[in-house]
Amino acid sequence: MPDSDGETLDLSSGPKPLHFTADSTRTLIVTVLPTGPYDPDLRDEDRYPFSIVLSAHP
């Protein structure tokens, strides 16, 4: 929401509602981390694809 530091939507357990401001805008920043052992400093060819589906109705 305006003047906020943001909010976290933990989607690991399923869909969550995303509330919008009066002008119907939000900025969405996506961070995805793989489960299991993960070394962010390791520069390898492993990729972790994901998809996001936004719907106007739950």
Side-chain angles (χ1 to χ4, degrees):
M1 298 302 174
D3 301 321
S4 78
D5 289 334
E7 63 185 285
T8 299
L9 293 175
D10 182 351
L11 303 175
S12 62
S13 63
K16 299 287 186 297
L18 178 63
H19 302 284
F20 289 86
T21 61
D23 66 357
S24 299
T25 62
R26 290 295 302 263
T27 299
L28 183 63
I29 299 171
V30 178
T31 302
V32 179
L33 295 175
T35 58
Y38 174 68
D39 181 354
D41 294 322
L42 183 60
R43 306 280 186 216
D44 58 21
E45 295 301 315
D46 291 345
R47 298 294 176 255
Y48 303 93
F50 67 94
S51 63
I52 294 177
V53 177
L54 301 177
S55 172
H57 303 283

